[in-house]
Amino acid sequence: MRKPPISLVSRYTFLLLLSYAATSIALESDQSQQVRWSADGDSTMRIEENTRILEMSTNVNVTQGTLEIIGNEAIIELNAATNEFQRVTVHGTPVHYQQQLDEDGAIVKGTSETILFYVDSLTEETIIELIGDANIESPDTTWSCVSITYIVEQNLIPNSIGPCAGSLSGSNQ
């Protein structure tokens, strides 16, 4: 049997390692995971137009990979034909959000009265909206505002509604 040239073996090894490295980054792998939920209380489901709506109460937990949202009540919206996840709204006193930022284990955490979680249809970025007494904290940033919009993949707050307060720290502190 003839052995493949070393350069061909090297290319396959490199591609294998590259695909492994890509799946070890939490945020990239989070979006490819299923959205899962659980609740201790009652739930109801109905269809409105093209949307399947699941409402749950009492100790609601919504996860997607390392992303976790915990609150009192949740409304999950799915495409009625495909059951594809569209959006979740979680209410609580407060609602807690947490997610691993990178393979080094850095964590982002947030709290607010309501959290919306969805994937932007144009950019395919995961959006977390914290509404009402919103707070978010990552290793280098803290924000407190009335409302905060957070883009997960960029660790970025593109807009917020004030009044706001917070802090930014550089990597050399």
Side-chain angles (χ1 to χ4, degrees):
M1 180 166 66
R2 186 173 168 228
K3 291 184 180 179
I6 291 179
S7 63
L8 187 58
V9 172
S10 297
R11 284 185 199 156
Y12 286 123
T13 303
F14 175 75
L15 290 174
L16 180 64
L17 290 173
L18 186 62
S19 68
Y20 175 77
T23 59
S24 69
I25 297 172
L27 293 180
E28 289 181 17
S29 67
D30 281 354
Q31 200 174 53
S32 67
Q33 302 290 318
Q34 285 186 330
V35 175
R36 299 182 182 275
W37 55 84
S38 65
D40 292 341
D42 296 337
S43 65
T44 61
M45 185 180 291
R46 68 184 182 283
I47 294 178
E48 291 181 7
E49 296 182 17
N50 296 325
T51 304
R52 183 179 308 272
I53 299 171
L54 171 62
E55 294 185 53
M56 300 176 294
S57 64
T58 313
N59 297 322
V60 174
N61 189 318
V62 178
T63 62
Q64 184 184 38
T66 67
L67 182 152
E68 180 177 41
I69 301 172
I70 300 170
N72 299 342
E73 300 173 344
I75 302 166
I76 296 175
E77 299 173 34
L78 307 164
N79 179 295
T82 65
N83 272 338
E84 184 176 332
F85 171 78
Q86 293 177 325
R87 167 179 158 140
V88 66
T89 304
V90 182
H91 302 286
T93 52
V95 180
H96 296 272
Y97 158 71
Q98 178 174 305
Q99 187 169 16
Q100 185 176 336
L101 283 174
D102 56 33
E103 69 275 6
D104 295 332
I107 301 287
V108 62
K109 297 182 207 178
T111 59
S112 64
E113 295 168 3
T114 299
I115 291 181
L116 305 178
F117 158 44
Y118 56 94
V119 175
D120 184 279
S121 60
L122 296 176
T123 64
E124 296 187 6
E125 294 173 315
T126 305
I127 307 294
I128 302 291
E129 291 185 33
L130 301 103
I131 303 166
D133 196 18
N135 300 285
I136 196 161
E137 178 182 334
S138 68
D140 58 356
T141 307
T142 61
W143 286 79
S144 294
C145 299
V146 172
S147 176
I148 297 169
T149 301
Y150 177 68
I151 300 174
V152 173
E153 289 81 3
Q154 297 182 40
N155 187 25
L156 177 70
I157 298 170
N159 59 59
S160 59
I161 297 174
C164 295
S167 65
L168 301 170
S169 62
S171 59
N172 53 349
Q173 283 190 354

